[in-house]
């Protein structure tokens, strides 16, 4: 039945558990997403088999209660109704009706009966809300402590022990790891524990840690797992963001070395890309890596900024370019000029993406815009 009371259905859904409901109604979602909320799986809407799109997950902290989740590309869906609207192309009333039907609420009589059940279970629901909140607070404390410990055990990239990091950067032809201010933001770590998306331990590796901040406030650490010889570590994802307290928001954040509130600001996705551009332009520009396409898209300029140069990745999926264009559009709407700089290399058959680090590796400084070099 359409026009059911959303609150009645919502509370009934909480009582049954959104995990149970969505598993039944959405066979298109990868089972592994249900097994471990917070785990990334293929996006049921934009993911293509064998071609990436692994940005979908359910919320780790309250999935059973909220039914919410997000895809790095498609957006955030805070509750089970929004999730169904996105997945099935429903309007709100259709989503409520479908969940109602699944829970046996077909008529006004069913609805009244369910409202009674909900009221009888109010205390149980409240107790569960509190349990989730307590768990969240404990987990937040754990994550902030862990981030501090990780950072405390790190060393400057110039330290004699940091050779694996320097070997890695040298293999990318990057020369600016020793410039002023780097040691406050990007450092070497002798032993980073790596776990895959299923939570399985993959080993301890040397690597780099980079502080992700937002308006100067620390949010989390981004990790680069390496081998002692300075190659990418043989793990599922050699670059991973640490988990961070849920009361911090990473959107608008990035890896900022020095001031980001300048008249002209340069931004890109990856740390290696940023440092490759700095090396390639003979240090004429300073580039802030914003970690990934989603954070690039969400960049928040400071009050002094008049122009943002966006050095994009050329991806097979088109995601890098899309993120750059979205940022450019938002900046223009704010009255800030924006310019996209696309890598001067073609995307060859079989390649997933080309970035400015590839330009430095293949073309050297010749591959970088002349004006930038003279700037
Ligand atoms: Zn998606």
């Amino acid at each position: 039945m359409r026009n059911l009371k959303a609150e009645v259905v919502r509370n009934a859904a909480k009582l049954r558990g959104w995990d149970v409901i969505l598993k039944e109604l959405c066979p298109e979602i990868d089972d592994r997403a249900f097994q471990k909320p917070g785990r990334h799986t293929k996006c049921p809407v934009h993911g293509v088999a064998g071609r990436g799109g692994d940005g979908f997950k359910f919320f780790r902290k309250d999935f059973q209660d909220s039914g919410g989740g997000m895809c790095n590309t498609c957006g955030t869906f805070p509750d089970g109704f929004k999730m169904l609207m996105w997945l099935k192309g429903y309007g709100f009333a259709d989503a409520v009706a479908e969940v109602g039907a699944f829970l046996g609420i077909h008529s006004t009589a069913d609805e009244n009966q369910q409202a009674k059940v909900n009221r009888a279970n109010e205390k149980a629901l409240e107790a569960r809300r509190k349990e989730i909140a307590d768990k969240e607070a404990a987990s937040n404390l754990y994550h902030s402590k862990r981030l501090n410990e990780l950072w405390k055990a790190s060393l400057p990239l110039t330290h004699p022990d940091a050779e694996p990091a320097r070997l890695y950067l040298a293999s990318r032809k990057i020369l600016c790891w020793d410039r002023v201010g780097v040691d406050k933001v990007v450092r070497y770590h002798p032993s980073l524990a790596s776990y895959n998306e299923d939570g399985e331990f993959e080993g301890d590796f040397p690597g780099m840690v980079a502080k992700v901040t937002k308006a100067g406030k620390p949010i989390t650490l981004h990790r680069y797992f390496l081998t002692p010889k300075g190659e990418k570590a043989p793990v599922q994802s050699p670059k991973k963001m640490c988990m961070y307290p849920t009361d911090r928001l990473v959107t608008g954040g990035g890896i900022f070395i020095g001031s980001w509130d300048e008249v002209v600001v340069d931004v890109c996705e990856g740390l290696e890309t940023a440092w490759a551009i700095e090396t390639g332009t003979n240090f004429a520009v300073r580039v802030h890596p914003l970690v990934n396409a989603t954070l690039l898209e969400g960049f928040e300029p400071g009050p002094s900024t008049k122009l943002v140069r966006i050095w994009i990745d050329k991806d097979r999926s088109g995601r890098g370019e899309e993120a750059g264009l979205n940022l450019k559009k938002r900046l223009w709407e704010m009255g800030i000029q924006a310019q996209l700089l696309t890598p001067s290399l073609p995307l060859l058959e079989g390649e997933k993406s080309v970035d400015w680090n590839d330009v430095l590796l293949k073309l050297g400084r010749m591959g970088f815009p002349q004006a930038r070099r003279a700037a």
Side-chain angles (χ1 to χ4, degrees):
M1 186 182 100
R2 275 177 67 103
N3 304 322
L4 288 171
K5 287 189 186 113
E7 261 333 281
V8 173
V9 179
R10 189 188 301 277
N11 283 330
K14 281 184 188 188
L15 281 174
R16 179 71 66 90
W18 276 104
D19 48 342
V20 177
I21 298 166
L22 292 178
K23 197 169 164 72
E24 198 61 39
L25 297 181
C26 309
E28 62 268 51
I29 298 177
D30 192 321
D31 255 2
R32 291 170 303 173
F34 289 99
Q35 283 158 16
K36 190 169 174 274
R39 185 202 199 284
H40 283 104
T41 58
K42 190 158 297 300
C43 171
V45 170
H46 90 278
V48 181
R51 280 221 278 130
D54 289 342
F56 177 78
K57 67 174 182 184
F58 290 125
F59 292 146
R60 174 167 52 96
K61 62 169 180 175
D62 69 349
F63 171 52
Q64 195 192 6
D65 240 38
S66 73
M70 64 175 293
C71 165
N72 286 338
T73 304
C74 301
T76 300
F77 311 99
D79 62 40
F81 295 137
K82 294 267 163 55
M83 181 70 70
L84 281 170
M85 289 162 71
W86 166 60
L87 278 170
K88 311 280 187 186
Y90 289 162
F92 182 67
D94 300 310
V96 174
E98 172 143 1
V99 175
F102 177 78
L103 296 168
I105 310 167
H106 302 284
S107 62
T108 308
D110 292 342
E111 191 178 69
N112 291 337
Q113 173 57 27
Q114 183 63 47
K116 260 186 226 162
V117 174
N118 289 354
R119 273 197 296 278
N121 283 284
E122 235 162 58
K123 280 221 172 76
L125 276 179
E126 185 48 44
R128 203 164 74 200
R129 247 193 305 278
K130 189 169 179 313
E131 193 189 318
I132 290 171
D134 289 350
K135 244 193 232 162
E136 190 181 341
S139 139
N140 285 352
L141 200 66
Y142 167 79
H143 288 306
S144 83
K145 206 175 141 227
R146 189 168 162 267
L147 286 167
N148 286 337
E149 285 168 0
L150 212 56
W151 187 250
K152 258 190 211 149
S154 69
L155 302 165
L157 295 177
T158 49
H159 191 280
D161 291 353
E163 191 63 7
R166 290 193 297 269
L167 285 170
Y168 171 67
L169 294 169
S171 77
R172 312 299 306 173
K173 292 206 174 152
I174 287 165
L175 303 173
C176 47
W177 44 269
D178 59 347
R179 80 161 156 82
V180 177
V182 166
D183 65 324
K184 290 190 182 69
V185 183
V186 184
R187 292 165 73 90
Y188 172 75
H189 198 291
S191 181
L192 296 169
S194 179
Y195 293 85
N196 68 16
E197 281 282 1
D198 293 314
E200 291 158 356
F201 181 62
E202 296 174 305
D204 289 311
F205 299 91
M208 294 189 293
V209 285
K211 239 185 216 178
V212 177
T213 56
K214 179 183 176 176
K217 290 210 182 89
I219 307 289
T220 184
L221 294 173
H222 195 51
R223 294 160 299 168
Y224 305 76
F225 296 85
L226 303 172
T227 67
K229 286 184 173 173
E231 296 154 315
K232 276 186 187 169
V235 294
Q236 190 180 55
S237 323
K239 299 175 197 178
K240 287 189 272 280
M241 196 98 96
C242 287
M243 286 208 204
Y244 51 92
T246 51
D247 51 9
R248 301 181 190 175
L249 195 66
V250 77
T251 311
I255 300 167
F256 298 103
I257 301 170
S259 169
W260 81 101
D261 185 21
E262 301 288 334
V263 176
V264 180
V265 176
D266 291 88
V267 295
C268 70
E269 288 190 35
L271 175 67
E272 299 93 327
T273 307
W275 284 359
I277 297 163
E278 294 185 9
T279 305
T281 57
N282 211 6
F283 312 108
V285 295
R286 288 203 167 183
V287 187
H288 298 293
L290 303 174
V291 185
N292 56 40
T294 306
L295 290 185
L296 178 84
E297 205 167 65
F299 175 63
E300 288 167 15
S304 315
T305 301
K306 301 269 187 289
L307 168 66
V308 180
R309 289 187 296 227
I310 311 162
W311 302 73
I312 59 171
D313 290 2
K314 214 191 265 180
D315 301 316
R316 178 75 54 203
S317 66
R319 177 60 185 138
E321 204 166 353
E322 178 193 61
L325 283 167
N326 287 343
L327 172 58
K328 182 175 168 179
K329 184 165 171 278
R330 191 162 54 79
L331 290 167
W332 278 98
E333 282 164 6
M334 294 165 77
I336 295 169
Q337 285 186 54
Q339 184 186 355
L340 288 190
L341 292 139
T342 309
S344 44
L345 274 179
L347 190 56
L348 299 177
E349 189 76 32
E351 281 178 340
K352 253 178 91 179
S353 71
V354 163
D355 62 32
W356 285 98
N357 198 173
D358 297 314
V359 174
L360 181 66
L361 287 167
K362 288 190 181 145
L363 305 177
R365 288 189 172 145
M366 291 309 292
F368 287 79
Q370 296 288 331
R372 297 292 90 71
R373 270 192 286 163

